Amino acid sequence: MFDWMYWTTPVAIFFSCIVLMLIGMTIWEIKSPTTLRKGFLPLKTTRGDRLFIGLLTAAYINLAFVGLAGRMAEWLALESEPSIWISFIASMAVLALIMRRG
């Protein structure tokens, strides 16, 4: 079914983290309903809103990294493309920041 997609360990871990976050957020929402709050984002958001915005941001960070990895190798005179783990860690950090302070 998924033969068309190249599943690397970082990609599988990234999607596993998303599934675990969605399950965790669902349980959290059932136990403790959320309220609107204002953080650094320019609108009042709920936990679910911040998760959605954070997941979109994480996806764009990963896509940008994959798209620019070849160029970064040229610019920085690297022997091979930088590890995808860099974008995974950066995207999860940004997601955590948005969830906490957004």
Side-chain angles (χ1 to χ4, degrees), residues 3-4 10 19-20 22 31-33 35 48 51 58 60 75-76 81:
D3 293 340
W4 58 271
V19 168
L20 290 173
L22 290 173
K31 296 245 183 217
S32 170
T35 58
L51 178 65
Y60 288 129
W75 295 333
L76 301 173
E81 291 183 359

Side-chain angles (χ1 to χ4, degrees), residues 2-94:
F2 292 109
D3 293 340
W4 58 271
M5 186 170 185
Y6 183 65
W7 285 93
T8 62
T9 302
V11 170
I13 291 173
F14 179 76
F15 282 109
S16 298
C17 287
I18 290 173
V19 168
L20 290 173
M21 279 187 286
L22 290 173
I23 291 168
M25 289 291 289
T26 301
I27 293 168
W28 189 8
E29 187 66 28
I30 290 169
K31 296 245 183 217
S32 170
T34 188
T35 58
L36 288 172
R37 75 171 181 143
K38 179 81 170 87
F40 69 81
L41 294 172
L43 63 153
K44 289 184 180 182
T45 58
T46 64
R47 284 189 297 252
D49 297 335
R50 290 188 300 276
L51 178 65
F52 180 73
I53 292 166
L55 287 174
L56 281 177
T57 305
Y60 288 129
I61 289 170
N62 280 293
L63 286 173
F65 187 85
V66 167
L68 294 173
R71 298 268 185 208
M72 282 191 274
E74 290 175 19
W75 295 333
L76 301 173
L78 302 173
E79 291 181 19
S80 63
E81 291 183 359
S83 173
I84 195 77
W85 286 107
I86 296 168
S87 68
F88 174 75
I89 291 168
S91 65
M92 289 299 109
V94 169

